[in-house]
Amino acid sequence: MRPVTETSIPSADQSLDEETPVTAATETEDAAGEAREKKAPADSDLFRQSEIAADYVEGLLDILDYDGDIDELVSGGRPVVEVVGARLQNLVGQRGATLEALQELTRLAVFRQTGTPSRLLLDVSGYRAARRKELAAVAKNAVEKVKEHGEPVRLEPMSAFERKCVHDVVNAMSGVESESEGVEPNRRIVVRPAAD
């Protein structure tokens, strides 16, 4: 049995799942700050983060007396831990709420050992992949409505992970744009015709 790591909260102003919007001011700051640009973590550092996270998750599963296979990997430049097994729906919760909480706890465990905030992605029983497909359909439907009626479409409140999935689909389509509005936990996406 692996020990469960005690966690403490790092200070962070923004969710690690969201991308920072690029504006003219941030582009100028980026150009001026190239000399002090931080180096992206190496794959070996990211894999170490996924190993730490996998140990933490395994400890939680032991405490909860749940059985599951745990895979740790690096995908898309971020550490990933996938848990697969029967009867793990309680770890996902309603609309992924429990999964989001477990992901934050796991990120804190990684931070505790590395001293660096992590963009770790935790998935249980393929929930995120299935949800990503659902959100792609929601985004395409919203885009169709915007193109048909020329009016903005406001989607239901979503988590940072869900909003990023929708933004990615909308940004890949021409003639429309999306932005997030509101305050957590009621932050939502608005899809509108692209500004000319």
Side-chain angles (χ1 to χ4, degrees):
M1 179 167 160
R2 295 179 183 171
V4 176
T5 307
E6 182 183 348
T7 60
S8 62
I9 300 173
S11 61
D13 295 335
Q14 182 179 10
S15 171
L16 294 171
D17 286 331
E18 285 189 277
E19 291 182 345
T20 305
V22 177
T23 63
T26 55
E27 286 175 358
T28 305
E29 290 170 11
D30 288 348
E34 285 181 22
R36 58 194 158 133
E37 191 174 307
K38 291 184 179 178
K39 185 178 141 185
D43 278 354
S44 61
D45 293 336
L46 296 175
F47 190 73
R48 180 172 178 261
Q49 288 181 22
S50 68
E51 288 179 320
I52 293 167
D55 288 346
Y56 181 77
V57 170
E58 185 176 345
L60 286 175
L61 291 178
D62 287 345
I63 290 169
L64 296 170
D65 198 27
Y66 284 177
D67 290 325
D69 293 324
I70 301 172
D71 292 323
E72 63 259 0
L73 56 136
V74 174
S75 177
R78 69 191 305 178
V80 177
V81 171
E82 296 175 345
V83 183
V84 180
R87 298 180 288 126
L88 294 177
Q89 187 58 35
N90 287 340
L91 296 179
V92 174
Q94 186 176 0
R95 290 198 51 200
T98 304
L99 177 58
E100 291 294 326
L102 288 173
Q103 177 175 277
E104 288 306 310
L105 288 172
T106 307
R107 285 177 173 176
L108 291 172
V110 172
F111 176 79
R112 174 86 177 184
Q113 287 196 28
T114 65
T116 305
S118 176
R119 294 182 62 236
L120 173 89
L121 186 66
L122 176 63
D123 195 8
V124 173
S125 297
Y127 172 80
R128 290 195 190 275
R131 185 67 176 143
R132 198 175 275 119
K133 286 180 184 177
E134 291 172 12
L135 292 167
V138 167
K140 288 175 185 174
N141 185 36
V143 166
E144 287 174 14
K145 286 181 181 178
V146 168
K147 287 183 175 183
E148 182 179 335
H149 301 290
E151 296 291 323
V153 172
R154 283 180 171 72
L155 301 177
E156 66 184 31
M158 298 178 185
S159 70
F161 163 76
E162 293 171 324
R163 290 192 309 272
K164 178 158 182 0
C165 292
V166 172
H167 283 306
D168 289 347
V169 171
V170 173
N171 290 336
M173 301 179 143
S174 62
V176 290
E177 61 187 14
S178 62
E179 69 177 355
S180 294
E181 69 175 18
V183 180
E184 295 291 357
N186 296 314
R187 197 155 169 78
R188 66 181 66 230
I189 289 180
V190 179
V191 181
R192 60 174 46 96
D196 293 329

Short mmCIF file of all heavy atoms in Angstrom, two decimals, residues 33-99:
data_model
loop_
_atom_site.label_atom_id
_atom_site.label_comp_id
_atom_site.label_asym_id
_atom_site.label_seq_id
_atom_site.Cartn_x
_atom_site.Cartn_y
_atom_site.Cartn_z
N GLY A 33 9.38 40.03 -22.67
CA GLY A 33 9.88 39.14 -21.62
C GLY A 33 10.48 37.85 -22.14
O GLY A 33 10.59 36.89 -21.39
N GLU A 34 10.87 37.79 -23.39
CA GLU A 34 11.44 36.55 -23.93
C GLU A 34 12.68 36.11 -23.17
O GLU A 34 12.91 34.92 -23.00
CB GLU A 34 11.79 36.73 -25.41
CG GLU A 34 10.57 36.70 -26.30
CD GLU A 34 10.93 36.85 -27.77
OE1 GLU A 34 12.08 36.54 -28.12
OE2 GLU A 34 10.07 37.26 -28.53
N ALA A 35 13.48 37.06 -22.70
CA ALA A 35 14.71 36.72 -22.00
C ALA A 35 14.43 35.99 -20.70
O ALA A 35 15.20 35.14 -20.28
CB ALA A 35 15.53 37.98 -21.73
N ARG A 36 13.32 36.31 -20.07
CA ARG A 36 13.02 35.66 -18.78
C ARG A 36 11.98 34.57 -18.92
O ARG A 36 11.39 34.12 -17.95
CB ARG A 36 12.58 36.70 -17.76
CG ARG A 36 11.39 37.47 -18.20
CD ARG A 36 11.17 38.69 -17.36
NE ARG A 36 10.38 39.53 -18.23
CZ ARG A 36 9.29 40.16 -17.90
NH1 ARG A 36 8.91 40.17 -16.70
NH2 ARG A 36 8.61 40.85 -18.76
N GLU A 37 11.73 34.15 -20.16
CA GLU A 37 10.75 33.10 -20.44
C GLU A 37 11.12 31.82 -19.71
O GLU A 37 12.27 31.40 -19.70
CB GLU A 37 10.70 32.87 -21.94
CG GLU A 37 9.56 32.00 -22.37
CD GLU A 37 9.49 31.93 -23.88
OE1 GLU A 37 9.47 32.99 -24.51
OE2 GLU A 37 9.49 30.82 -24.41
N LYS A 38 10.13 31.20 -19.09
CA LYS A 38 10.37 29.96 -18.35
C LYS A 38 10.48 28.79 -19.31
O LYS A 38 9.76 28.71 -20.28
CB LYS A 38 9.25 29.71 -17.35
CG LYS A 38 9.24 30.70 -16.23
CD LYS A 38 8.17 30.34 -15.25
CE LYS A 38 8.17 31.32 -14.10
NZ LYS A 38 7.12 31.04 -13.15
N LYS A 39 11.36 27.89 -18.99
CA LYS A 39 11.55 26.68 -19.79
C LYS A 39 10.41 25.70 -19.50
O LYS A 39 10.04 25.48 -18.36
CB LYS A 39 12.90 26.07 -19.40
CG LYS A 39 13.30 24.89 -20.22
CD LYS A 39 14.66 24.43 -19.77
CE LYS A 39 14.69 22.92 -19.77
NZ LYS A 39 15.91 22.39 -19.23
N ALA A 40 9.86 25.13 -20.55
CA ALA A 40 8.80 24.15 -20.40
C ALA A 40 9.36 22.90 -19.73
O ALA A 40 10.51 22.53 -19.97
CB ALA A 40 8.21 23.80 -21.76
N PRO A 41 8.56 22.25 -18.88
CA PRO A 41 9.07 21.05 -18.21
C PRO A 41 9.40 19.96 -19.22
O PRO A 41 8.69 19.78 -20.20
CB PRO A 41 7.92 20.62 -17.30
CG PRO A 41 6.83 21.62 -17.44
CD PRO A 41 7.20 22.58 -18.51
N ALA A 42 10.47 19.24 -18.96
CA ALA A 42 10.88 18.13 -19.82
C ALA A 42 9.92 16.97 -19.63
O ALA A 42 9.25 16.85 -18.60
CB ALA A 42 12.30 17.70 -19.47
N ASP A 43 9.86 16.08 -20.63
CA ASP A 43 8.99 14.91 -20.53
C ASP A 43 9.30 14.07 -19.29
O ASP A 43 8.40 13.51 -18.68
CB ASP A 43 9.09 14.05 -21.79
CG ASP A 43 8.21 14.57 -22.92
OD1 ASP A 43 7.45 15.52 -22.70
OD2 ASP A 43 8.30 14.00 -24.02
N SER A 44 10.58 14.01 -18.91
CA SER A 44 10.94 13.24 -17.72
C SER A 44 10.34 13.86 -16.46
O SER A 44 9.89 13.14 -15.57
CB SER A 44 12.46 13.11 -17.59
OG SER A 44 13.05 14.39 -17.45
N ASP A 45 10.31 15.21 -16.40
CA ASP A 45 9.68 15.88 -15.25
C ASP A 45 8.18 15.64 -15.25
O ASP A 45 7.57 15.43 -14.20
CB ASP A 45 9.96 17.39 -15.30
CG ASP A 45 11.43 17.73 -15.09
OD1 ASP A 45 12.15 16.91 -14.48
OD2 ASP A 45 11.84 18.81 -15.54
N LEU A 46 7.57 15.69 -16.44
CA LEU A 46 6.14 15.46 -16.53
C LEU A 46 5.79 14.03 -16.16
O LEU A 46 4.79 13.77 -15.48
CB LEU A 46 5.64 15.79 -17.95
CG LEU A 46 5.77 17.24 -18.39
CD1 LEU A 46 5.37 17.40 -19.85
CD2 LEU A 46 4.95 18.16 -17.50
N PHE A 47 6.63 13.07 -16.60
CA PHE A 47 6.37 11.68 -16.25
C PHE A 47 6.52 11.48 -14.74
O PHE A 47 5.75 10.74 -14.13
CB PHE A 47 7.28 10.73 -17.02
CG PHE A 47 6.89 9.29 -16.86
CD1 PHE A 47 5.75 8.79 -17.49
CD2 PHE A 47 7.62 8.44 -16.04
CE1 PHE A 47 5.36 7.47 -17.31
CE2 PHE A 47 7.24 7.12 -15.86
CZ PHE A 47 6.11 6.63 -16.50
N ARG A 48 7.48 12.16 -14.14
CA ARG A 48 7.65 12.07 -12.68
C ARG A 48 6.39 12.59 -11.99
O ARG A 48 5.93 12.00 -11.01
CB ARG A 48 8.87 12.87 -12.22
CG ARG A 48 9.07 12.80 -10.71
CD ARG A 48 10.39 13.42 -10.25
NE ARG A 48 10.47 13.35 -8.82
CZ ARG A 48 10.19 14.38 -8.00
NH1 ARG A 48 9.83 15.54 -8.50
NH2 ARG A 48 10.28 14.24 -6.70
N GLN A 49 5.83 13.68 -12.51
CA GLN A 49 4.58 14.20 -11.93
C GLN A 49 3.47 13.16 -12.04
O GLN A 49 2.70 12.97 -11.09
CB GLN A 49 4.15 15.49 -12.64
CG GLN A 49 5.01 16.69 -12.32
CD GLN A 49 4.53 17.93 -13.04
OE1 GLN A 49 3.37 18.04 -13.44
NE2 GLN A 49 5.41 18.90 -13.19
N SER A 50 3.38 12.49 -13.18
CA SER A 50 2.33 11.48 -13.34
C SER A 50 2.56 10.30 -12.41
O SER A 50 1.60 9.71 -11.90
CB SER A 50 2.20 11.03 -14.80
OG SER A 50 3.33 10.32 -15.22
N GLU A 51 3.82 9.95 -12.15
CA GLU A 51 4.12 8.86 -11.20
C GLU A 51 3.72 9.24 -9.78
O GLU A 51 3.13 8.44 -9.05
CB GLU A 51 5.61 8.51 -11.24
CG GLU A 51 6.02 7.78 -12.49
CD GLU A 51 7.51 7.47 -12.51
OE1 GLU A 51 8.32 8.33 -12.08
OE2 GLU A 51 7.86 6.37 -12.94
N ILE A 52 4.03 10.48 -9.38
CA ILE A 52 3.65 10.96 -8.05
C ILE A 52 2.13 10.92 -7.92
O ILE A 52 1.58 10.46 -6.92
CB ILE A 52 4.19 12.38 -7.80
CG1 ILE A 52 5.72 12.36 -7.72
CG2 ILE A 52 3.57 12.98 -6.53
CD1 ILE A 52 6.35 13.75 -7.78
N ALA A 53 1.45 11.41 -8.97
CA ALA A 53 -0.01 11.43 -8.97
C ALA A 53 -0.58 10.02 -8.90
O ALA A 53 -1.55 9.78 -8.18
CB ALA A 53 -0.52 12.16 -10.21
N ALA A 54 0.01 9.09 -9.65
CA ALA A 54 -0.48 7.71 -9.65
C ALA A 54 -0.34 7.10 -8.25
O ALA A 54 -1.24 6.39 -7.79
CB ALA A 54 0.28 6.88 -10.68
N ASP A 55 0.78 7.37 -7.58
CA ASP A 55 0.96 6.87 -6.21
C ASP A 55 -0.13 7.43 -5.28
O ASP A 55 -0.69 6.71 -4.46
CB ASP A 55 2.34 7.26 -5.67
CG ASP A 55 3.47 6.48 -6.31
OD1 ASP A 55 3.20 5.45 -6.96
OD2 ASP A 55 4.63 6.91 -6.16
N TYR A 56 -0.41 8.72 -5.42
CA TYR A 56 -1.42 9.36 -4.60
C TYR A 56 -2.79 8.74 -4.86
O TYR A 56 -3.52 8.40 -3.93
CB TYR A 56 -1.44 10.87 -4.87
CG TYR A 56 -2.45 11.61 -4.05
CD1 TYR A 56 -2.21 11.90 -2.70
CD2 TYR A 56 -3.65 12.03 -4.60
CE1 TYR A 56 -3.14 12.57 -1.93
CE2 TYR A 56 -4.59 12.70 -3.84
CZ TYR A 56 -4.32 12.97 -2.51
OH TYR A 56 -5.25 13.64 -1.75
N VAL A 57 -3.14 8.59 -6.12
CA VAL A 57 -4.45 8.02 -6.49
C VAL A 57 -4.55 6.57 -6.00
O VAL A 57 -5.59 6.15 -5.50
CB VAL A 57 -4.69 8.13 -8.01
CG1 VAL A 57 -5.91 7.33 -8.43
CG2 VAL A 57 -4.84 9.58 -8.43
N GLU A 58 -3.46 5.82 -6.14
CA GLU A 58 -3.48 4.43 -5.65
C GLU A 58 -3.74 4.40 -4.14
O GLU A 58 -4.50 3.55 -3.66
CB GLU A 58 -2.16 3.74 -5.96
CG GLU A 58 -2.19 2.27 -5.57
CD GLU A 58 -0.92 1.53 -5.96
OE1 GLU A 58 -0.13 2.05 -6.77
OE2 GLU A 58 -0.74 0.41 -5.45
N GLY A 59 -3.15 5.32 -3.41
CA GLY A 59 -3.41 5.41 -1.97
C GLY A 59 -4.87 5.70 -1.67
O GLY A 59 -5.46 5.11 -0.77
N LEU A 60 -5.46 6.61 -2.45
CA LEU A 60 -6.88 6.91 -2.27
C LEU A 60 -7.75 5.70 -2.57
O LEU A 60 -8.70 5.41 -1.83
CB LEU A 60 -7.30 8.08 -3.17
CG LEU A 60 -6.83 9.47 -2.76
CD1 LEU A 60 -7.23 10.49 -3.82
CD2 LEU A 60 -7.39 9.85 -1.41
N LEU A 61 -7.44 5.00 -3.64
CA LEU A 61 -8.21 3.80 -3.99
C LEU A 61 -8.12 2.75 -2.88
O LEU A 61 -9.12 2.09 -2.56
CB LEU A 61 -7.74 3.21 -5.31
CG LEU A 61 -8.02 4.03 -6.58
CD1 LEU A 61 -7.44 3.33 -7.80
CD2 LEU A 61 -9.51 4.27 -6.76
N ASP A 62 -6.92 2.60 -2.30
CA ASP A 62 -6.75 1.65 -1.20
C ASP A 62 -7.61 2.04 0.00
O ASP A 62 -8.28 1.19 0.61
CB ASP A 62 -5.28 1.57 -0.77
CG ASP A 62 -4.42 0.82 -1.77
OD1 ASP A 62 -4.98 0.13 -2.65
OD2 ASP A 62 -3.18 0.95 -1.69
N ILE A 63 -7.61 3.32 0.34
CA ILE A 63 -8.41 3.80 1.47
C ILE A 63 -9.90 3.57 1.22
O ILE A 63 -10.63 3.15 2.11
CB ILE A 63 -8.13 5.30 1.73
CG1 ILE A 63 -6.72 5.48 2.29
CG2 ILE A 63 -9.17 5.90 2.68
CD1 ILE A 63 -6.26 6.92 2.33
N LEU A 64 -10.33 3.83 -0.02
CA LEU A 64 -11.75 3.67 -0.37
C LEU A 64 -12.13 2.22 -0.66
O LEU A 64 -13.30 1.92 -0.86
CB LEU A 64 -12.07 4.54 -1.59
CG LEU A 64 -11.93 6.04 -1.40
CD1 LEU A 64 -12.05 6.75 -2.73
CD2 LEU A 64 -12.97 6.55 -0.41
N ASP A 65 -11.14 1.34 -0.72
CA ASP A 65 -11.33 -0.07 -1.04
C ASP A 65 -11.95 -0.25 -2.43
O ASP A 65 -12.88 -1.03 -2.62
CB ASP A 65 -12.18 -0.77 0.03
CG ASP A 65 -12.04 -2.29 -0.04
OD1 ASP A 65 -10.99 -2.78 -0.51
OD2 ASP A 65 -13.00 -2.99 0.35
N TYR A 66 -11.44 0.51 -3.40
CA TYR A 66 -11.85 0.40 -4.80
C TYR A 66 -10.72 -0.27 -5.57
O TYR A 66 -9.55 -0.06 -5.28
CB TYR A 66 -12.08 1.78 -5.42
CG TYR A 66 -13.36 2.47 -5.03
CD1 TYR A 66 -13.63 3.75 -5.48
CD2 TYR A 66 -14.31 1.87 -4.22
CE1 TYR A 66 -14.80 4.40 -5.14
CE2 TYR A 66 -15.48 2.51 -3.88
CZ TYR A 66 -15.72 3.78 -4.34
OH TYR A 66 -16.87 4.42 -4.00
N ASP A 67 -11.11 -1.06 -6.56
CA ASP A 67 -10.13 -1.69 -7.43
C ASP A 67 -10.08 -0.94 -8.75
O ASP A 67 -11.12 -0.62 -9.33
CB ASP A 67 -10.50 -3.16 -7.71
CG ASP A 67 -10.33 -4.03 -6.48
OD1 ASP A 67 -9.38 -3.78 -5.71
OD2 ASP A 67 -11.14 -4.96 -6.29
N GLY A 68 -8.87 -0.68 -9.21
CA GLY A 68 -8.71 -0.02 -10.49
C GLY A 68 -7.29 -0.13 -10.97
O GLY A 68 -6.36 -0.19 -10.17
N ASP A 69 -7.13 -0.19 -12.29
CA ASP A 69 -5.80 -0.17 -12.89
C ASP A 69 -5.42 1.28 -13.16
O ASP A 69 -6.25 2.05 -13.69
CB ASP A 69 -5.79 -0.96 -14.20
CG ASP A 69 -6.01 -2.45 -13.97
OD1 ASP A 69 -5.52 -2.96 -12.94
OD2 ASP A 69 -6.67 -3.08 -14.81
N ILE A 70 -4.20 1.64 -12.84
CA ILE A 70 -3.75 3.02 -12.97
C ILE A 70 -2.63 3.07 -14.00
O ILE A 70 -1.66 2.33 -13.91
CB ILE A 70 -3.24 3.57 -11.62
CG1 ILE A 70 -4.36 3.50 -10.58
CG2 ILE A 70 -2.73 4.99 -11.78
CD1 ILE A 70 -3.92 3.84 -9.18
N ASP A 71 -2.79 3.95 -14.99
CA ASP A 71 -1.76 4.19 -15.99
C ASP A 71 -1.28 5.62 -15.85
O ASP A 71 -2.10 6.54 -15.74
CB ASP A 71 -2.30 3.99 -17.41
CG ASP A 71 -2.63 2.54 -17.71
OD1 ASP A 71 -1.88 1.67 -17.23
OD2 ASP A 71 -3.63 2.29 -18.40
N GLU A 72 0.03 5.80 -15.87
CA GLU A 72 0.58 7.15 -15.86
C GLU A 72 1.33 7.36 -17.17
O GLU A 72 2.00 6.47 -17.67
CB GLU A 72 1.49 7.39 -14.66
CG GLU A 72 2.72 6.55 -14.58
CD GLU A 72 2.61 5.39 -13.60
OE1 GLU A 72 1.58 5.19 -12.95
OE2 GLU A 72 3.59 4.65 -13.52
N LEU A 73 1.12 8.53 -17.76
CA LEU A 73 1.74 8.84 -19.05
C LEU A 73 1.85 10.35 -19.22
O LEU A 73 1.39 11.13 -18.37
CB LEU A 73 0.93 8.22 -20.20
CG LEU A 73 -0.54 8.60 -20.27
CD1 LEU A 73 -0.91 8.91 -21.71
CD2 LEU A 73 -1.38 7.44 -19.78
N VAL A 74 2.47 10.75 -20.32
CA VAL A 74 2.54 12.15 -20.70
C VAL A 74 1.85 12.26 -22.06
O VAL A 74 2.16 11.52 -22.97
CB VAL A 74 4.00 12.64 -20.80
CG1 VAL A 74 4.07 14.06 -21.34
CG2 VAL A 74 4.68 12.55 -19.44
N SER A 75 0.90 13.17 -22.16
CA SER A 75 0.15 13.34 -23.40
C SER A 75 -0.13 14.82 -23.62
O SER A 75 -0.61 15.51 -22.71
CB SER A 75 -1.16 12.56 -23.32
OG SER A 75 -1.93 12.77 -24.47
N GLY A 76 0.19 15.31 -24.81
CA GLY A 76 -0.08 16.71 -25.12
C GLY A 76 0.70 17.67 -24.25
O GLY A 76 0.22 18.76 -23.94
N GLY A 77 1.87 17.26 -23.81
CA GLY A 77 2.70 18.14 -22.99
C GLY A 77 2.23 18.29 -21.56
O GLY A 77 2.58 19.26 -20.88
N ARG A 78 1.46 17.32 -21.09
CA ARG A 78 1.02 17.38 -19.69
C ARG A 78 0.97 15.97 -19.11
O ARG A 78 0.74 15.01 -19.83
CB ARG A 78 -0.32 18.09 -19.57
CG ARG A 78 -1.49 17.35 -20.13
CD ARG A 78 -2.75 18.17 -20.25
NE ARG A 78 -3.17 18.78 -19.03
CZ ARG A 78 -4.22 19.57 -18.91
NH1 ARG A 78 -4.96 19.84 -19.96
NH2 ARG A 78 -4.55 20.09 -17.76
N PRO A 79 1.18 15.86 -17.79
CA PRO A 79 1.09 14.55 -17.15
C PRO A 79 -0.37 14.09 -17.09
O PRO A 79 -1.27 14.90 -16.89
CB PRO A 79 1.65 14.79 -15.75
CG PRO A 79 1.52 16.26 -15.51
CD PRO A 79 1.55 16.92 -16.84
N VAL A 80 -0.57 12.79 -17.28
CA VAL A 80 -1.91 12.23 -17.29
C VAL A 80 -1.91 10.96 -16.44
O VAL A 80 -0.98 10.16 -16.51
CB VAL A 80 -2.35 11.88 -18.73
CG1 VAL A 80 -3.73 11.23 -18.74
CG2 VAL A 80 -2.34 13.11 -19.62
N VAL A 81 -2.98 10.80 -15.66
CA VAL A 81 -3.20 9.56 -14.91
C VAL A 81 -4.60 9.08 -15.27
O VAL A 81 -5.58 9.83 -15.17
CB VAL A 81 -3.08 9.78 -13.39
CG1 VAL A 81 -3.54 8.54 -12.63
CG2 VAL A 81 -1.65 10.13 -13.01
N GLU A 82 -4.68 7.83 -15.71
CA GLU A 82 -5.95 7.22 -16.07
C GLU A 82 -6.24 6.06 -15.14
O GLU A 82 -5.36 5.22 -14.92
CB GLU A 82 -5.92 6.73 -17.52
CG GLU A 82 -5.74 7.85 -18.53
CD GLU A 82 -5.59 7.36 -19.96
OE1 GLU A 82 -5.34 6.15 -20.15
OE2 GLU A 82 -5.70 8.19 -20.86
N VAL A 83 -7.44 6.03 -14.60
CA VAL A 83 -7.86 4.95 -13.72
C VAL A 83 -8.99 4.20 -14.42
O VAL A 83 -9.98 4.81 -14.84
CB VAL A 83 -8.37 5.49 -12.36
CG1 VAL A 83 -8.72 4.34 -11.43
CG2 VAL A 83 -7.33 6.41 -11.72
N VAL A 84 -8.82 2.90 -14.57
CA VAL A 84 -9.82 2.08 -15.26
C VAL A 84 -10.21 0.93 -14.34
O VAL A 84 -9.36 0.31 -13.71
CB VAL A 84 -9.25 1.52 -16.58
CG1 VAL A 84 -10.29 0.68 -17.30
CG2 VAL A 84 -8.75 2.64 -17.47
N GLY A 85 -11.51 0.69 -14.29
CA GLY A 85 -11.99 -0.42 -13.48
C GLY A 85 -13.50 -0.39 -13.38
O GLY A 85 -14.15 0.57 -13.80
N ALA A 86 -14.04 -1.46 -12.83
CA ALA A 86 -15.49 -1.54 -12.64
C ALA A 86 -15.89 -0.78 -11.38
O ALA A 86 -15.10 -0.60 -10.46
CB ALA A 86 -15.90 -3.00 -12.51
N ARG A 87 -17.10 -0.29 -11.37
CA ARG A 87 -17.68 0.37 -10.20
C ARG A 87 -16.88 1.58 -9.72
O ARG A 87 -16.68 1.76 -8.53
CB ARG A 87 -17.88 -0.64 -9.06
CG ARG A 87 -18.87 -1.75 -9.44
CD ARG A 87 -19.09 -2.75 -8.34
NE ARG A 87 -17.89 -3.59 -8.17
CZ ARG A 87 -17.26 -3.75 -7.01
NH1 ARG A 87 -17.70 -3.19 -5.93
NH2 ARG A 87 -16.20 -4.52 -6.94
N LEU A 88 -16.42 2.41 -10.64
CA LEU A 88 -15.67 3.61 -10.26
C LEU A 88 -16.48 4.89 -10.48
O LEU A 88 -15.96 5.99 -10.35
CB LEU A 88 -14.36 3.70 -11.04
CG LEU A 88 -13.33 2.62 -10.74
CD1 LEU A 88 -12.11 2.77 -11.63
CD2 LEU A 88 -12.93 2.64 -9.26
N GLN A 89 -17.78 4.75 -10.82
CA GLN A 89 -18.61 5.91 -11.12
C GLN A 89 -18.65 6.91 -9.96
O GLN A 89 -18.76 8.11 -10.18
CB GLN A 89 -20.03 5.47 -11.50
CG GLN A 89 -20.93 6.59 -11.99
CD GLN A 89 -20.36 7.32 -13.20
OE1 GLN A 89 -19.73 6.71 -14.05
NE2 GLN A 89 -20.57 8.62 -13.26
N ASN A 90 -18.54 6.42 -8.72
CA ASN A 90 -18.54 7.33 -7.57
C ASN A 90 -17.35 8.28 -7.59
O ASN A 90 -17.41 9.36 -7.00
CB ASN A 90 -18.55 6.55 -6.26
CG ASN A 90 -19.89 5.91 -5.98
OD1 ASN A 90 -20.92 6.32 -6.53
ND2 ASN A 90 -19.90 4.89 -5.14
N LEU A 91 -16.27 7.88 -8.26
CA LEU A 91 -15.10 8.76 -8.36
C LEU A 91 -15.29 9.84 -9.42
O LEU A 91 -14.53 10.81 -9.46
CB LEU A 91 -13.84 7.94 -8.69
CG LEU A 91 -13.41 6.94 -7.63
CD1 LEU A 91 -12.16 6.19 -8.10
CD2 LEU A 91 -13.15 7.63 -6.30
N VAL A 92 -16.28 9.67 -10.28
CA VAL A 92 -16.58 10.68 -11.30
C VAL A 92 -17.60 11.66 -10.75
O VAL A 92 -17.42 12.88 -10.85
CB VAL A 92 -17.10 10.02 -12.60
CG1 VAL A 92 -17.54 11.07 -13.60
CG2 VAL A 92 -16.01 9.13 -13.20
N GLY A 93 -18.65 11.15 -10.14
CA GLY A 93 -19.68 12.01 -9.58
C GLY A 93 -20.58 12.61 -10.64
O GLY A 93 -20.42 12.37 -11.84
N GLN A 94 -21.52 13.44 -10.18
CA GLN A 94 -22.47 14.07 -11.09
C GLN A 94 -21.75 15.09 -11.96
O GLN A 94 -21.10 16.00 -11.46
CB GLN A 94 -23.59 14.73 -10.30
CG GLN A 94 -24.69 15.28 -11.17
CD GLN A 94 -25.83 15.84 -10.35
OE1 GLN A 94 -25.81 15.83 -9.13
NE2 GLN A 94 -26.84 16.34 -11.03
N ARG A 95 -21.84 14.90 -13.29
CA ARG A 95 -21.21 15.78 -14.27
C ARG A 95 -19.72 15.98 -14.00
O ARG A 95 -19.17 17.03 -14.27
CB ARG A 95 -21.92 17.13 -14.33
CG ARG A 95 -23.31 17.01 -14.93
CD ARG A 95 -23.87 18.29 -15.39
NE ARG A 95 -22.93 18.97 -16.26
CZ ARG A 95 -22.97 20.26 -16.52
NH1 ARG A 95 -23.88 21.01 -15.97
NH2 ARG A 95 -22.09 20.82 -17.32
N GLY A 96 -19.07 14.97 -13.42
CA GLY A 96 -17.63 15.02 -13.23
C GLY A 96 -17.16 15.85 -12.05
O GLY A 96 -15.96 16.11 -11.91
N ALA A 97 -18.08 16.24 -11.18
CA ALA A 97 -17.71 17.12 -10.05
C ALA A 97 -16.72 16.44 -9.10
O ALA A 97 -15.74 17.07 -8.67
CB ALA A 97 -18.96 17.55 -9.29
N THR A 98 -16.94 15.18 -8.79
CA THR A 98 -16.02 14.47 -7.89
C THR A 98 -14.66 14.29 -8.57
O THR A 98 -13.62 14.45 -7.93
CB THR A 98 -16.61 13.11 -7.49
OG1 THR A 98 -17.91 13.33 -6.91
CG2 THR A 98 -15.72 12.39 -6.49
N LEU A 99 -14.68 13.98 -9.85
CA LEU A 99 -13.43 13.83 -10.60
C LEU A 99 -12.62 15.12 -10.59
O LEU A 99 -11.40 15.10 -10.40
CB LEU A 99 -13.73 13.39 -12.04
CG LEU A 99 -12.54 13.25 -12.98
CD1 LEU A 99 -11.52 12.25 -12.44
CD2 LEU A 99 -13.03 12.84 -14.37
#
